[in-house]
PDB file of all heavy atoms in Angstrom:
ATOM      1  N   GLY A 214      29.371  33.723  -3.489  1.00 89.00           N
ATOM      2  CA  GLY A 214      29.556  32.930  -4.694  1.00 89.00           C
ATOM      3  C   GLY A 214      29.263  31.485  -4.381  1.00 89.00           C
ATOM      4  O   GLY A 214      29.418  31.034  -3.244  1.00 89.00           O
ATOM      5  N   GLY A 215      28.839  30.745  -5.381  1.00 91.00           N
ATOM      6  CA  GLY A 215      28.551  29.318  -5.187  1.00 91.00           C
ATOM      7  C   GLY A 215      27.592  29.109  -4.042  1.00 91.00           C
ATOM      8  O   GLY A 215      26.487  29.638  -4.034  1.00 91.00           O
ATOM      9  N   ASP A 216      28.033  28.347  -3.042  1.00 94.00           N
ATOM     10  CA  ASP A 216      27.187  28.085  -1.879  1.00 94.00           C
ATOM     11  C   ASP A 216      27.778  28.715  -0.616  1.00 94.00           C
ATOM     12  O   ASP A 216      27.590  28.214   0.475  1.00 94.00           O
ATOM     13  CB  ASP A 216      26.961  26.589  -1.700  1.00 94.00           C
ATOM     14  CG  ASP A 216      28.238  25.804  -1.443  1.00 94.00           C
ATOM     15  OD1 ASP A 216      29.333  26.381  -1.572  1.00 94.00           O
ATOM     16  OD2 ASP A 216      28.140  24.608  -1.110  1.00 94.00           O
ATOM     17  N   GLU A 217      28.477  29.844  -0.796  1.00 95.00           N
ATOM     18  CA  GLU A 217      29.048  30.571   0.335  1.00 95.00           C
ATOM     19  C   GLU A 217      28.282  31.867   0.588  1.00 95.00           C
ATOM     20  O   GLU A 217      27.979  32.607  -0.347  1.00 95.00           O
ATOM     21  CB  GLU A 217      30.519  30.912   0.092  1.00 95.00           C
ATOM     22  CG  GLU A 217      31.441  29.736   0.248  1.00 95.00           C
ATOM     23  CD  GLU A 217      32.897  30.153   0.270  1.00 95.00           C
ATOM     24  OE1 GLU A 217      33.222  31.316  -0.031  1.00 95.00           O
ATOM     25  OE2 GLU A 217      33.713  29.285   0.588  1.00 95.00           O
ATOM     26  N   PHE A 218      28.010  32.091   1.853  1.00 97.00           N
ATOM     27  CA  PHE A 218      27.297  33.291   2.278  1.00 97.00           C
ATOM     28  C   PHE A 218      28.111  33.992   3.352  1.00 97.00           C
ATOM     29  O   PHE A 218      28.993  33.402   3.977  1.00 97.00           O
ATOM     30  CB  PHE A 218      25.919  32.920   2.838  1.00 97.00           C
ATOM     31  CG  PHE A 218      25.002  32.326   1.815  1.00 97.00           C
ATOM     32  CD1 PHE A 218      24.988  30.963   1.587  1.00 97.00           C
ATOM     33  CD2 PHE A 218      24.161  33.131   1.072  1.00 97.00           C
ATOM     34  CE1 PHE A 218      24.154  30.410   0.632  1.00 97.00           C
ATOM     35  CE2 PHE A 218      23.321  32.590   0.122  1.00 97.00           C
ATOM     36  CZ  PHE A 218      23.321  31.222  -0.102  1.00 97.00           C
ATOM     37  N   CYS A 219      27.814  35.249   3.587  1.00 96.00           N
ATOM     38  CA  CYS A 219      28.521  36.041   4.586  1.00 96.00           C
ATOM     39  C   CYS A 219      27.512  36.952   5.277  1.00 96.00           C
ATOM     40  O   CYS A 219      26.540  37.399   4.661  1.00 96.00           O
ATOM     41  CB  CYS A 219      29.609  36.873   3.911  1.00 96.00           C
ATOM     42  SG  CYS A 219      30.614  37.816   5.056  1.00 96.00           S
ATOM     43  N   VAL A 220      27.757  37.199   6.553  1.00 97.00           N
ATOM     44  CA  VAL A 220      26.942  38.138   7.322  1.00 97.00           C
ATOM     45  C   VAL A 220      27.895  39.121   7.990  1.00 97.00           C
ATOM     46  O   VAL A 220      28.923  38.722   8.540  1.00 97.00           O
ATOM     47  CB  VAL A 220      26.083  37.409   8.383  1.00 97.00           C
ATOM     48  CG1 VAL A 220      25.433  38.395   9.335  1.00 97.00           C
ATOM     49  CG2 VAL A 220      25.036  36.542   7.711  1.00 97.00           C
ATOM     50  N   VAL A 221      27.548  40.398   7.937  1.00 95.00           N
ATOM     51  CA  VAL A 221      28.325  41.454   8.574  1.00 95.00           C
ATOM     52  C   VAL A 221      27.382  42.218   9.495  1.00 95.00           C
ATOM     53  O   VAL A 221      26.275  42.583   9.087  1.00 95.00           O
ATOM     54  CB  VAL A 221      28.935  42.416   7.529  1.00 95.00           C
ATOM     55  CG1 VAL A 221      29.594  43.599   8.192  1.00 95.00           C
ATOM     56  CG2 VAL A 221      29.913  41.677   6.633  1.00 95.00           C
ATOM     57  N   ALA A 222      27.843  42.418  10.746  1.00 93.00           N
ATOM     58  CA  ALA A 222      27.006  43.145  11.697  1.00 93.00           C
ATOM     59  C   ALA A 222      27.869  43.899  12.689  1.00 93.00           C
ATOM     60  O   ALA A 222      28.885  43.377  13.152  1.00 93.00           O
ATOM     61  CB  ALA A 222      26.102  42.171  12.447  1.00 93.00           C
ATOM     62  N   GLN A 223      27.467  45.096  13.020  1.00 90.00           N
ATOM     63  CA  GLN A 223      28.102  45.854  14.086  1.00 90.00           C
ATOM     64  C   GLN A 223      27.233  45.578  15.312  1.00 90.00           C
ATOM     65  O   GLN A 223      26.150  46.138  15.475  1.00 90.00           O
ATOM     66  CB  GLN A 223      28.161  47.340  13.740  1.00 90.00           C
ATOM     67  CG  GLN A 223      29.263  48.036  14.449  1.00 90.00           C
ATOM     68  CD  GLN A 223      29.740  49.268  13.711  1.00 90.00           C
ATOM     69  OE1 GLN A 223      29.154  49.683  12.732  1.00 90.00           O
ATOM     70  NE2 GLN A 223      30.815  49.848  14.189  1.00 90.00           N
ATOM     71  N   ILE A 224      27.727  44.660  16.148  1.00 88.00           N
ATOM     72  CA  ILE A 224      26.886  44.054  17.175  1.00 88.00           C
ATOM     73  C   ILE A 224      27.776  43.591  18.328  1.00 88.00           C
ATOM     74  O   ILE A 224      28.965  43.354  18.135  1.00 88.00           O
ATOM     75  CB  ILE A 224      26.115  42.882  16.511  1.00 88.00           C
ATOM     76  CG1 ILE A 224      24.971  42.372  17.330  1.00 88.00           C
ATOM     77  CG2 ILE A 224      27.043  41.759  16.134  1.00 88.00           C
ATOM     78  CD1 ILE A 224      24.053  41.432  16.533  1.00 88.00           C
ATOM     79  N   GLY A 225      27.210  43.427  19.498  1.00 86.00           N
ATOM     80  CA  GLY A 225      27.958  42.924  20.643  1.00 86.00           C
ATOM     81  C   GLY A 225      28.266  41.436  20.493  1.00 86.00           C
ATOM     82  O   GLY A 225      27.621  40.735  19.706  1.00 86.00           O
ATOM     83  N   ILE A 226      29.228  40.944  21.272  1.00 86.00           N
ATOM     84  CA  ILE A 226      29.681  39.553  21.127  1.00 86.00           C
ATOM     85  C   ILE A 226      28.555  38.570  21.437  1.00 86.00           C
ATOM     86  O   ILE A 226      28.335  37.620  20.690  1.00 86.00           O
ATOM     87  CB  ILE A 226      30.924  39.295  21.995  1.00 86.00           C
ATOM     88  CG1 ILE A 226      32.107  40.067  21.394  1.00 86.00           C
ATOM     89  CG2 ILE A 226      31.243  37.810  22.091  1.00 86.00           C
ATOM     90  CD1 ILE A 226      33.383  39.985  22.172  1.00 86.00           C
ATOM     91  N   ARG A 227      27.826  38.776  22.511  1.00 88.00           N
ATOM     92  CA  ARG A 227      26.729  37.849  22.868  1.00 88.00           C
ATOM     93  C   ARG A 227      25.655  37.854  21.774  1.00 88.00           C
ATOM     94  O   ARG A 227      25.202  36.809  21.344  1.00 88.00           O
ATOM     95  CB  ARG A 227      26.134  38.235  24.217  1.00 88.00           C
ATOM     96  CG  ARG A 227      25.011  37.303  24.625  1.00 88.00           C
ATOM     97  CD  ARG A 227      24.549  37.522  26.042  1.00 88.00           C
ATOM     98  NE  ARG A 227      25.479  36.801  26.918  1.00 88.00           N
ATOM     99  CZ  ARG A 227      26.029  37.303  28.016  1.00 88.00           C
ATOM    100  NH1 ARG A 227      25.761  38.536  28.382  1.00 88.00           N
ATOM    101  NH2 ARG A 227      26.840  36.590  28.750  1.00 88.00           N
ATOM    102  N   ALA A 228      25.269  39.033  21.328  1.00 90.00           N
ATOM    103  CA  ALA A 228      24.267  39.127  20.255  1.00 90.00           C
ATOM    104  C   ALA A 228      24.827  38.562  18.955  1.00 90.00           C
ATOM    105  O   ALA A 228      24.088  37.975  18.157  1.00 90.00           O
ATOM    106  CB  ALA A 228      23.829  40.576  20.067  1.00 90.00           C
ATOM    107  N   GLY A 229      26.135  38.722  18.727  1.00 91.00           N
ATOM    108  CA  GLY A 229      26.768  38.162  17.532  1.00 91.00           C
ATOM    109  C   GLY A 229      26.723  36.655  17.522  1.00 91.00           C
ATOM    110  O   GLY A 229      26.450  36.028  16.491  1.00 91.00           O
ATOM    111  N   ASP A 230      26.989  36.038  18.682  1.00 93.00           N
ATOM    112  CA  ASP A 230      26.900  34.581  18.774  1.00 93.00           C
ATOM    113  C   ASP A 230      25.484  34.100  18.473  1.00 93.00           C
ATOM    114  O   ASP A 230      25.286  33.115  17.762  1.00 93.00           O
ATOM    115  CB  ASP A 230      27.331  34.107  20.165  1.00 93.00           C
ATOM    116  CG  ASP A 230      28.823  34.254  20.409  1.00 93.00           C
ATOM    117  OD1 ASP A 230      29.588  34.365  19.416  1.00 93.00           O
ATOM    118  OD2 ASP A 230      29.231  34.263  21.585  1.00 93.00           O
ATOM    119  N   GLN A 231      24.501  34.800  18.992  1.00 94.00           N
ATOM    120  CA  GLN A 231      23.100  34.438  18.733  1.00 94.00           C
ATOM    121  C   GLN A 231      22.750  34.633  17.258  1.00 94.00           C
ATOM    122  O   GLN A 231      22.065  33.812  16.662  1.00 94.00           O
ATOM    123  CB  GLN A 231      22.152  35.269  19.615  1.00 94.00           C
ATOM    124  CG  GLN A 231      20.686  34.964  19.390  1.00 94.00           C
ATOM    125  CD  GLN A 231      20.338  33.505  19.619  1.00 94.00           C
ATOM    126  OE1 GLN A 231      20.777  32.901  20.580  1.00 94.00           O
ATOM    127  NE2 GLN A 231      19.552  32.930  18.727  1.00 94.00           N
ATOM    128  N   LEU A 232      23.245  35.708  16.668  1.00 95.00           N
ATOM    129  CA  LEU A 232      22.999  35.965  15.251  1.00 95.00           C
ATOM    130  C   LEU A 232      23.575  34.839  14.391  1.00 95.00           C
ATOM    131  O   LEU A 232      22.925  34.363  13.454  1.00 95.00           O
ATOM    132  CB  LEU A 232      23.591  37.310  14.840  1.00 95.00           C
ATOM    133  CG  LEU A 232      23.440  37.693  13.370  1.00 95.00           C
ATOM    134  CD1 LEU A 232      21.979  37.944  13.024  1.00 95.00           C
ATOM    135  CD2 LEU A 232      24.268  38.923  13.048  1.00 95.00           C
ATOM    136  N   VAL A 233      24.782  34.397  14.705  1.00 95.00           N
ATOM    137  CA  VAL A 233      25.411  33.309  13.941  1.00 95.00           C
ATOM    138  C   VAL A 233      24.610  32.020  14.103  1.00 95.00           C
ATOM    139  O   VAL A 233      24.367  31.307  13.124  1.00 95.00           O
ATOM    140  CB  VAL A 233      26.887  33.125  14.351  1.00 95.00           C
ATOM    141  CG1 VAL A 233      27.467  31.836  13.785  1.00 95.00           C
ATOM    142  CG2 VAL A 233      27.708  34.322  13.881  1.00 95.00           C
ATOM    143  N   ARG A 234      24.167  31.705  15.324  1.00 96.00           N
ATOM    144  CA  ARG A 234      23.344  30.492  15.530  1.00 96.00           C
ATOM    145  C   ARG A 234      22.058  30.574  14.705  1.00 96.00           C
ATOM    146  O   ARG A 234      21.638  29.598  14.087  1.00 96.00           O
ATOM    147  CB  ARG A 234      23.034  30.304  17.007  1.00 96.00           C
ATOM    148  CG  ARG A 234      24.198  29.746  17.803  1.00 96.00           C
ATOM    149  CD  ARG A 234      23.770  29.274  19.186  1.00 96.00           C
ATOM    150  NE  ARG A 234      23.289  30.342  20.054  1.00 96.00           N
ATOM    151  CZ  ARG A 234      24.060  31.139  20.782  1.00 96.00           C
ATOM    152  NH1 ARG A 234      25.363  30.989  20.752  1.00 96.00           N
ATOM    153  NH2 ARG A 234      23.521  32.061  21.547  1.00 96.00           N
ATOM    154  N   SER A 235      21.435  31.738  14.692  1.00 96.00           N
ATOM    155  CA  SER A 235      20.205  31.924  13.911  1.00 96.00           C
ATOM    156  C   SER A 235      20.480  31.791  12.416  1.00 96.00           C
ATOM    157  O   SER A 235      19.679  31.216  11.676  1.00 96.00           O
ATOM    158  CB  SER A 235      19.588  33.295  14.199  1.00 96.00           C
ATOM    159  OG  SER A 235      19.208  33.391  15.541  1.00 96.00           O
ATOM    160  N   ALA A 236      21.618  32.321  11.961  1.00 97.00           N
ATOM    161  CA  ALA A 236      21.991  32.213  10.545  1.00 97.00           C
ATOM    162  C   ALA A 236      22.233  30.758  10.158  1.00 97.00           C
ATOM    163  O   ALA A 236      21.839  30.320   9.069  1.00 97.00           O
ATOM    164  CB  ALA A 236      23.221  33.068  10.254  1.00 97.00           C
ATOM    165  N   VAL A 237      22.871  29.997  11.042  1.00 97.00           N
ATOM    166  CA  VAL A 237      23.109  28.571  10.769  1.00 97.00           C
ATOM    167  C   VAL A 237      21.779  27.850  10.599  1.00 97.00           C
ATOM    168  O   VAL A 237      21.607  27.043   9.679  1.00 97.00           O
ATOM    169  CB  VAL A 237      23.964  27.929  11.892  1.00 97.00           C
ATOM    170  CG1 VAL A 237      23.957  26.412  11.804  1.00 97.00           C
ATOM    171  CG2 VAL A 237      25.393  28.463  11.837  1.00 97.00           C
ATOM    172  N   LEU A 238      20.808  28.147  11.461  1.00 97.00           N
ATOM    173  CA  LEU A 238      19.486  27.529  11.330  1.00 97.00           C
ATOM    174  C   LEU A 238      18.797  27.956  10.032  1.00 97.00           C
ATOM    175  O   LEU A 238      18.119  27.156   9.389  1.00 97.00           O
ATOM    176  CB  LEU A 238      18.609  27.887  12.533  1.00 97.00           C
ATOM    177  CG  LEU A 238      18.987  27.214  13.845  1.00 97.00           C
ATOM    178  CD1 LEU A 238      18.127  27.745  14.990  1.00 97.00           C
ATOM    179  CD2 LEU A 238      18.860  25.700  13.742  1.00 97.00           C
ATOM    180  N   ALA A 239      18.972  29.210   9.647  1.00 97.00           N
ATOM    181  CA  ALA A 239      18.359  29.710   8.409  1.00 97.00           C
ATOM    182  C   ALA A 239      18.944  29.028   7.176  1.00 97.00           C
ATOM    183  O   ALA A 239      18.272  28.892   6.161  1.00 97.00           O
ATOM    184  CB  ALA A 239      18.531  31.225   8.303  1.00 97.00           C
ATOM    185  N   LEU A 240      20.210  28.603   7.271  1.00 97.00           N
ATOM    186  CA  LEU A 240      20.885  27.960   6.139  1.00 97.00           C
ATOM    187  C   LEU A 240      20.839  26.440   6.248  1.00 97.00           C
ATOM    188  O   LEU A 240      21.669  25.738   5.677  1.00 97.00           O
ATOM    189  CB  LEU A 240      22.330  28.451   6.042  1.00 97.00           C
ATOM    190  CG  LEU A 240      22.487  29.915   5.656  1.00 97.00           C
ATOM    191  CD1 LEU A 240      23.933  30.360   5.795  1.00 97.00           C
ATOM    192  CD2 LEU A 240      21.973  30.159   4.243  1.00 97.00           C
ATOM    193  N   THR A 241      19.858  25.918   6.963  1.00 96.00           N
ATOM    194  CA  THR A 241      19.675  24.483   7.147  1.00 96.00           C
ATOM    195  C   THR A 241      18.316  24.083   6.602  1.00 96.00           C
ATOM    196  O   THR A 241      17.324  24.757   6.852  1.00 96.00           O
ATOM    197  CB  THR A 241      19.772  24.137   8.650  1.00 96.00           C
ATOM    198  OG1 THR A 241      21.039  24.563   9.139  1.00 96.00           O
ATOM    199  CG2 THR A 241      19.614  22.657   8.886  1.00 96.00           C
ATOM    200  N   ASP A 242      18.286  22.991   5.865  1.00 95.00           N
ATOM    201  CA  ASP A 242      17.030  22.490   5.307  1.00 95.00           C
ATOM    202  C   ASP A 242      17.178  20.994   5.087  1.00 95.00           C
ATOM    203  O   ASP A 242      18.296  20.482   4.967  1.00 95.00           O
ATOM    204  CB  ASP A 242      16.718  23.197   3.982  1.00 95.00           C
ATOM    205  CG  ASP A 242      15.244  23.111   3.600  1.00 95.00           C
ATOM    206  OD1 ASP A 242      14.457  22.459   4.323  1.00 95.00           O
ATOM    207  OD2 ASP A 242      14.874  23.708   2.572  1.00 95.00           O
ATOM    208  N   ALA A 243      16.075  20.292   5.036  1.00 94.00           N
ATOM    209  CA  ALA A 243      16.126  18.845   4.821  1.00 94.00           C
ATOM    210  C   ALA A 243      14.827  18.388   4.169  1.00 94.00           C
ATOM    211  O   ALA A 243      13.794  19.046   4.272  1.00 94.00           O
ATOM    212  CB  ALA A 243      16.337  18.117   6.139  1.00 94.00           C
ATOM    213  N   GLY A 244      14.911  17.273   3.510  1.00 91.00           N
ATOM    214  CA  GLY A 244      13.759  16.655   2.881  1.00 91.00           C
ATOM    215  C   GLY A 244      13.993  15.155   2.817  1.00 91.00           C
ATOM    216  O   GLY A 244      14.935  14.634   3.422  1.00 91.00           O
ATOM    217  N   GLU A 245      13.173  14.485   2.078  1.00 90.00           N
ATOM    218  CA  GLU A 245      13.287  13.032   1.972  1.00 90.00           C
ATOM    219  C   GLU A 245      14.588  12.660   1.251  1.00 90.00           C
ATOM    220  O   GLU A 245      14.759  12.926   0.072  1.00 90.00           O
ATOM    221  CB  GLU A 245      12.093  12.457   1.217  1.00 90.00           C
ATOM    222  CG  GLU A 245      12.012  10.955   1.300  1.00 90.00           C
ATOM    223  CD  GLU A 245      10.738  10.411   0.681  1.00 90.00           C
ATOM    224  OE1 GLU A 245       9.691  11.069   0.800  1.00 90.00           O
ATOM    225  OE2 GLU A 245      10.817   9.345   0.063  1.00 90.00           O
ATOM    226  N   GLY A 246      15.506  12.071   1.986  1.00 87.00           N
ATOM    227  CA  GLY A 246      16.760  11.607   1.399  1.00 87.00           C
ATOM    228  C   GLY A 246      17.840  12.666   1.250  1.00 87.00           C
ATOM    229  O   GLY A 246      18.870  12.400   0.646  1.00 87.00           O
ATOM    230  N   TRP A 247      17.645  13.866   1.789  1.00 92.00           N
ATOM    231  CA  TRP A 247      18.674  14.899   1.670  1.00 92.00           C
ATOM    232  C   TRP A 247      18.625  15.830   2.876  1.00 92.00           C
ATOM    233  O   TRP A 247      17.593  15.978   3.522  1.00 92.00           O
ATOM    234  CB  TRP A 247      18.529  15.716   0.388  1.00 92.00           C
ATOM    235  CG  TRP A 247      17.237  16.472   0.290  1.00 92.00           C
ATOM    236  CD1 TRP A 247      16.052  16.024  -0.204  1.00 92.00           C
ATOM    237  CD2 TRP A 247      17.005  17.820   0.716  1.00 92.00           C
ATOM    238  NE1 TRP A 247      15.096  16.992  -0.113  1.00 92.00           N
ATOM    239  CE2 TRP A 247      15.660  18.114   0.446  1.00 92.00           C
ATOM    240  CE3 TRP A 247      17.794  18.800   1.285  1.00 92.00           C
ATOM    241  CZ2 TRP A 247      15.080  19.343   0.726  1.00 92.00           C
ATOM    242  CZ3 TRP A 247      17.228  20.027   1.574  1.00 92.00           C
ATOM    243  CH2 TRP A 247      15.879  20.290   1.283  1.00 92.00           C
TER     244      TRP A 247
END
């Protein structure tokens, strides 16, 4: 809802940490002044 997202995965802890880092990058964007 709104600007909240969720990810669910049956995955190992190391792979889970990498998945979260990748998701953070996917939810990042920038442009002129924002």
